[in-house]
Amino acid sequence: MRLYSYHRAPAIRWGVPAVLCASVLLTACEDDNYRPDPEPGEPTVTETSAPVALEQSTESYFAAPKIINYGPVLSNTASTGPCFSDGDVLVETDTDDRVSRITYNACSEDFGPGFSSLTDGVVTFEYDTQGTLVRLIMDGFSEDTVLGAEHQVVRFDGTMDFPEGPASPPSYTANGQYEFVREFPDDIQNVAMGFQDFQVQSSVSGTDIIQIMNGGISLPGRDSYLTVDTGGDGLRRPSGSSCAVSGTLTLTAADGSYTSATFNGEDHIVVSVNGVAQPERTCDEYLAFINH
């Protein structure tokens, strides 16, 4: 079993804005898989683009919950005033004294060598009648952070609706554009994704997560969207694992070309491209395939 690994977010310290945590909370499973658009008349989903599409779908259901979970961190810790180095932050509240909007105006924080952030954009918070946070609207939100030898840039411009609140695992609808770049001294990771009415219904059965997905996600570097469909039964995935153990994920382009992954146990995965099935793969082999 292969697990996706994330760095632990730094603890929020007095005087250190919560935006420094976004570099971790907003990341997804990253890999630079840019592919040029196909020539006119060629299908969108081919044996070459299929693994990219499948990886993009995997990234999508890790990325969106991180955006949702980051919302309460912002609303609970932000305060109005000038930033440590330059720029400012404006925090607005509603009649119930809840944070309703945070406006970052080129907020620059420099806490010494190798520890800084630059945050910009507007984050709007909406609540239901019980006071539960149910929507995040990020208008041109961006965060550029330096954490030692690591440089990260996170951007999201769009909307996250999660009517049951920021639960784990959340059910949500995502619309907008997401980008994440992480640079190390000897490596660079880049993921870019568009959500178009991308809906996920999540539930828990024992230690497994069940996710029913539908809606649109984009391929890296392209404006077109693929339709995601897991059927009514969804995908069943052990908590913490990157591979489902049951269900079928199908990604279909506007031209009708498609790919699917059928999970019959974590180490029994069959990928099909335009109806042609490939040899069965284990979880590790499948992850290596989509990270090609």
Side-chain angles (χ1 to χ4, degrees):
M1 179 186 299
R2 174 178 168 182
L3 307 181
Y4 280 108
S5 175
Y6 301 101
H7 296 292
R8 184 179 300 275
I12 300 174
R13 302 179 297 177
W14 181 258
V16 179
V19 293
L20 288 173
C21 296
S23 58
V24 176
L25 287 168
L26 293 182
T27 61
C29 313
E30 301 87 12
D31 189 20
D32 186 0
N33 277 323
Y34 172 77
R35 298 291 187 276
D37 285 322
E39 294 296 326
E42 291 186 2
T44 301
V45 179
T46 64
E47 289 190 357
T48 299
S49 63
V52 182
L54 291 167
E55 183 194 26
Q56 199 80 334
S57 68
T58 301
E59 290 172 339
S60 69
Y61 59 73
F62 281 101
K66 293 182 182 299
I67 299 171
I68 293 171
N69 291 334
Y70 184 54
V73 176
L74 286 176
S75 63
N76 290 336
T77 60
S79 59
T80 292
C83 299
F84 280 16
S85 299
D86 198 7
D88 55 64
V89 179
L90 174 64
V91 180
E92 301 173 56
T93 57
D94 60 17
T95 55
D96 294 312
D97 203 31
R98 298 172 302 207
V99 174
S100 58
R101 179 175 297 180
I102 305 175
T103 302
Y104 297 95
N105 178 26
C107 177
S108 177
E109 310 281 8
D110 188 348
F111 302 100
F115 190 29
S116 65
S117 71
L118 176 63
T119 309
D120 213 345
V122 180
V123 183
T124 301
F125 305 82
E126 295 185 4
Y127 307 84
D128 64 13
T129 55
Q130 285 75 44
T132 301
L133 179 65
V134 293
R135 171 181 268 198
L136 281 175
I137 304 171
M138 293 186 171
D139 184 4
F141 178 84
S142 66
E143 183 199 54
D144 187 321
T145 62
V146 175
L147 299 170
E150 183 178 327
H151 177 210
Q152 295 189 157
V153 179
V154 178
R155 299 184 181 93
F156 183 66
D157 189 1
T159 303
M160 290 283 174
D161 291 282
F162 36 105
E164 298 177 4
S168 182
S171 297
Y172 56 88
T173 300
N175 282 282
Q177 299 295 318
Y178 171 84
E179 183 180 2
F180 172 78
V181 179
R182 176 186 285 166
E183 296 179 351
F184 297 94
D186 58 353
D187 189 22
I188 183 170
Q189 297 172 327
N190 191 341
V191 68
M193 174 182 304
F195 296 108
Q196 189 177 71
D197 293 327
F198 181 69
Q199 300 180 13
V200 176
Q201 298 177 33
S202 301
S203 60
V204 177
S205 178
T207 59
D208 292 348
I209 299 171
I210 300 172
Q211 293 178 308
I212 300 173
M213 296 184 287
N214 60 78
I217 59 173
S218 65
L219 287 173
R222 301 181 188 176
D223 295 329
S224 58
Y225 285 79
L226 302 175
T227 300
V228 179
D229 185 16
T230 60
D233 294 332
L235 301 179
R236 178 183 288 265
R237 179 170 52 86
S239 179
S241 175
S242 302
C243 293
V245 295
S246 68
T248 298
L249 168 70
T250 303
L251 302 168
T252 306
D255 59 13
S257 57
Y258 69 96
T259 184
S260 64
T262 299
F263 302 87
N264 291 303
E266 194 170 37
D267 286 327
H268 300 279
I269 304 169
V270 175
V271 173
S272 295
V273 181
N274 296 317
V276 179
Q278 299 179 354
E280 186 178 78
R281 291 180 170 90
T282 66
C283 178
D284 284 343
E285 289 170 342
Y286 173 74
L287 294 174
F289 169 71
I290 67 173
N291 283 304
H292 176 69

